[in-house]
Amino acid sequence: MSAVIATRGLVKRYGRLRAVDGIDLDVRAGDVYGFLGANGSGKTTTVRMLLGLVLATSGDIELLGARTARARQRVLPRVGALIEGPASYGHLSGRENLALLDASGPGGSWRTRTRRIAAVLEQVGLGGVGRRPVKAYSLGMRQRLGLAGALLRRPDLLVLDEPTNGLDPQGISEIRALLIDLHRGGTTIFLSSHLLAEVEQLCSRVGVLDRGRLVLQDELATLTAPTGATVVVTPAPEQARALLDGRLTSVTGDRLVVRGSDPAEVNALLVRGGVPVTGLAIERPTLEEVVLARTAASPDRVEAHP
Amino acid sequence: MILVELRKTFRRPRTWATIAVLNALPVLVAVLLVLTDLAPRPGEGPPFLSAVLSNGTLYPLAALAIVLPLFLPIAVAVVAGDAIAGEAQAGTLRYLLARPAGRTRLLVAKLVAVLAFVLVTVLVVAAVGYVIGTTLFEAQPVAGGTSVSGTSLTPEEVAWRTLLAIGYVAVSMLGVAAFALFFSTLTDSPLGATMGALAVLVASSLLFTLDAASPLAPYLPTRYWLSFVDLFREPILWRDVTRGLALQGVYVGALLSAAWASFTTKDITS
């Protein structure tokens, strides 16, 4: 599969601080790529480098097959972006804002503009917003308008930074459905977020950034693959412990982790021994556990050095 | 892109409010002059004001001279200072550049929009001055206006010299715009860019009055601002006018190059 985003040794230095420290991103066509990282880990700087807003100190970026900075400017019309929250001209209506943005660069014909604007507003749920100025919009409406701006030219790649910020739970699930729909239509999605749950629900591949380094990049299914153990919940942990001695890896209250990837076998063993079983599951690490295991303390924590 | 920027500038209520406020002072001065009939003596007060009571067609020039030292530069500095920094503060700059608008293209479009604002503002001030002047004061019919040197000018001469003067004032304001636009590429605060440009002008005006700074005087950006008065001497005294144009040309060229260099190599973090 071809690379939609590929970086090699990408570095951004601000003085002595290495905000992004040699990362090798690999986003392939058809991915929904979750770019995870705590606040301040370098996510936004990376996104800005991909879009040509911040100039990389060193390293290469390939975007939709374009390798040089000049070539990347030519493919940017095929990229829709939502960068660190939406922004618009408050005194103009949403429609006018989209028209101005579309007219500001290549790749958006004015002949189809009105139609495209109407279509994307409908898509993000702002079809009936009328002529009211953006300054009268709620945070959620602005977020939807920002997303509409990103979708205006039916992009091949969507780069979204915290797209559900400011939305209520219904709004979040609506946007998630929209993204899944777009992905089905062939759009590659690069989703930068610090919300693990959001990434876990949407993404097929995950990259984790910690203090400017990419500490993890893999298929979500691989990361959360079964560990080869079974989780048993029982009201009689002592009895079970006697029965399973040697196979237990941990006991916390009524929750036991047993070596062996076949829950039926473990269940049969326990039931034969007269141990009541109230819960039984294959052990899988959650994305949160995987991420926490690979990353250090939150980078916005500033410890005092004695 | 240029059309987009022009639309942004002239669809903003603030642009028209600025132009309206700018015209308030000359109108007020005209009304006071008519009511009191107390014109400043020749050689005192703003240029041309002493002559307007007898010839209203000179009022566009008086109006320009009234707003030139302070109000016009403030208006221009506000609009030009807002050009890039305003987009940065609103967060729209990152979307424009990721669109991609192209940094050089965006800067050129902003420059053209600022230029259009300068021209429209100067023309509106002159036009309002003309309307006020011809309705409130006597317009001398055949004899024409008087030059600053005392000889009389035909109405045609007054007309084309007035156009020259409007052009000269516009070029002077372009110098202000260049300062503000350059500062606008350095900061994310439009107020900071505007204040920076105004600080330069205040410093320049202050140094101009200081004898010790006289070696610097020919290079101060405000040095030749009022030289448009020389266009109404008989014969026209071109020396300061051409020097003024050359000086503004150098400032505009240097500052725009600096603005381009700073903007095209800048990390957009707003």
Side-chain angles (χ1 to χ4, degrees):
Chain A
M1 263 196 263
S2 60
V4 172
I5 302 173
T7 68
R8 190 160 286 278
L10 191 62
V11 173
K12 178 65 192 181
R13 224 188 342 239
Y14 290 111
R16 286 176 56 200
L17 175 79
R18 293 167 85 93
V20 172
D21 196 359
I23 70 172
D24 301 334
L25 280 178
D26 172 26
V27 181
R28 299 159 196 173
D31 273 354
V32 181
Y33 188 98
F35 193 43
L36 276 166
N39 294 320
S41 57
K43 281 189 316 255
T44 298
T45 305
T46 308
V47 167
R48 281 174 184 266
M49 281 193 281
L50 295 178
L51 298 173
L53 297 174
V54 166
L55 312 171
T57 309
S58 65
D60 298 317
I61 301 173
E62 187 187 329
L63 186 72
L64 293 169
R67 288 162 193 277
T68 62
R70 191 176 289 271
R72 263 181 277 133
Q73 290 283 312
R74 276 200 297 274
V75 296
L76 275 181
R78 288 162 53 204
V79 179
L82 192 62
I83 319 148
E84 266 195 296
S88 34
Y89 306 104
H91 61 287
L92 299 174
S93 73
R95 228 167 271 274
E96 287 167 312
N97 265 291
L98 292 179
L100 280 179
L101 182 66
D102 198 48
S104 300
S109 158
W110 61 269
R111 284 196 198 85
T112 58
R113 191 167 294 148
T114 322
R115 212 172 336 127
R116 281 183 293 128
I117 290 174
V120 288
L121 284 176
E122 197 62 53
Q123 222 174 354
V124 299
L126 287 178
V129 76
R131 303 196 50 80
R132 92 174 108 145
V134 173
K135 64 182 167 213
Y137 282 22
S138 69
L139 184 58
M141 290 169 73
R142 282 171 206 225
Q143 192 72 24
R144 285 166 193 259
L145 183 63
L147 203 53
L151 299 178
L152 206 45
R153 279 167 308 283
R154 308 253 146 252
D156 299 328
L157 168 67
L158 264 180
V159 176
L160 304 174
D161 199 358
E162 315 279 353
T164 54
N165 204 2
L167 293 174
D168 48 28
Q170 292 94 318
I172 292 177
S173 87
E174 233 176 278
I175 296 302
R176 195 185 302 138
L178 172 63
L179 293 182
I180 290 171
D181 211 32
L182 288 166
H183 175 241
R184 268 198 212 110
T187 312
T188 304
I189 299 176
F190 182 84
L191 178 77
S192 157
S193 180
H194 63 259
L195 301 174
L196 288 155
E198 190 170 276
V199 168
E200 201 163 13
Q201 286 181 38
L202 269 173
C203 298
S204 55
R205 270 164 66 79
V206 175
V208 178
L209 204 58
D210 182 39
R211 291 157 199 245
R213 287 171 186 277
L214 196 64
V215 292
L216 189 65
Q217 177 169 249
D218 212 335
E219 303 287 328
L220 183 67
T222 316
L223 292 174
T224 57
T227 56
T230 301
V231 180
V232 176
V233 183
T234 166
E238 284 312 312
Q239 232 179 310
R241 185 197 278 266
L243 207 58
L244 292 165
D245 194 33
R247 287 183 61 184
L248 281 177
T249 51
S250 79
V251 181
T252 35
D254 58 356
R255 187 174 178 278
L256 290 80
V257 179
V258 187
R259 260 198 300 278
S261 56
D262 184 5
E265 180 263 327
V266 176
N267 189 34
L269 184 67
L270 288 170
V271 171
R272 241 182 289 133
V275 178
V277 176
T278 53
L280 197 63
I282 296 174
E283 191 194 47
R284 282 174 186 276
T286 62
L287 184 57
E288 183 175 356
E289 285 162 355
V290 174
V291 169
L292 288 180
R294 295 293 193 98
T295 55
S298 178
D300 52 15
R301 243 180 105 96
V302 182
E303 306 278 0
H305 294 286
Chain B
M1 189 67 215
I2 287 171
L3 284 177
V4 171
E5 288 307 326
L6 287 175
R7 243 169 88 191
K8 274 189 211 164
T9 303
F10 290 102
R11 288 220 37 200
R12 261 188 112 147
R14 195 188 70 185
T15 303
W16 295 107
T18 308
I19 293 177
V21 170
L22 205 56
N23 278 297
L25 188 67
V27 171
L28 178 70
V29 169
V31 170
L32 288 176
L33 282 183
V34 170
L35 292 181
T36 60
D37 218 15
L38 284 174
R41 272 169 296 169
E44 282 179 18
F48 297 105
L49 212 50
S50 52
V52 294
L53 278 185
S54 56
N55 185 357
T57 55
L58 285 177
Y59 200 71
L61 298 160
L64 282 177
I66 289 168
V67 294
L68 188 61
L70 193 59
F71 289 96
L72 197 54
I74 289 178
V76 171
V78 166
V79 171
D82 190 58
I84 300 292
E87 301 268 9
Q89 199 183 43
T92 42
L93 183 61
R94 59 176 183 264
Y95 286 103
L96 281 178
L97 294 183
R99 170 63 186 81
R103 299 192 184 198
T104 307
R105 246 182 72 191
L106 181 63
L107 197 64
V108 169
K110 288 287 183 191
L111 179 70
V112 172
V114 169
L115 189 66
F117 172 78
V118 169
L119 274 178
V120 167
T121 309
V122 173
L123 282 174
V124 169
V125 168
V128 170
Y130 183 78
V131 172
I132 295 283
T134 47
T135 49
L136 292 185
F137 306 107
E138 300 168 41
Q140 288 188 357
V142 191
T146 27
S147 71
V148 179
S149 311
T151 53
S152 48
L153 299 169
T154 64
E156 291 76 40
E157 265 182 324
V158 172
W160 77 260
R161 287 184 190 208
T162 303
L163 281 180
L164 277 183
I166 289 171
Y168 184 79
V169 170
V171 170
S172 302
M173 286 305 110
L174 202 56
V176 181
F179 271 107
L181 196 62
F182 170 55
F183 292 139
S184 193
T185 63
L186 297 182
T187 168
D188 291 347
S189 151
L191 191 65
T194 300
M195 285 311 195
L198 290 179
V200 168
L201 300 183
V202 170
S204 164
S205 315
L206 190 115
L207 289 176
F208 187 41
T209 61
L210 198 68
D211 285 336
S214 57
L216 291 178
Y219 311 108
L220 295 172
T222 58
R223 164 67 182 83
Y224 297 106
W225 272 13
L226 283 173
S227 299
F228 75 90
V229 178
D230 291 349
L231 292 170
F232 292 86
R233 297 186 203 283
E234 194 60 44
I236 294 176
L237 201 59
W238 287 106
R239 200 194 64 156
D240 281 6
V241 173
T242 47
R243 283 188 185 179
L245 290 176
L247 183 68
Q248 295 303 335
V250 170
Y251 271 114
V252 169
L255 287 165
L256 290 183
S257 312
W260 178 80
S262 109
F263 188 53
T264 49
T265 56
K266 185 186 179 188
D267 281 343
I268 308 297
T269 53
S270 62

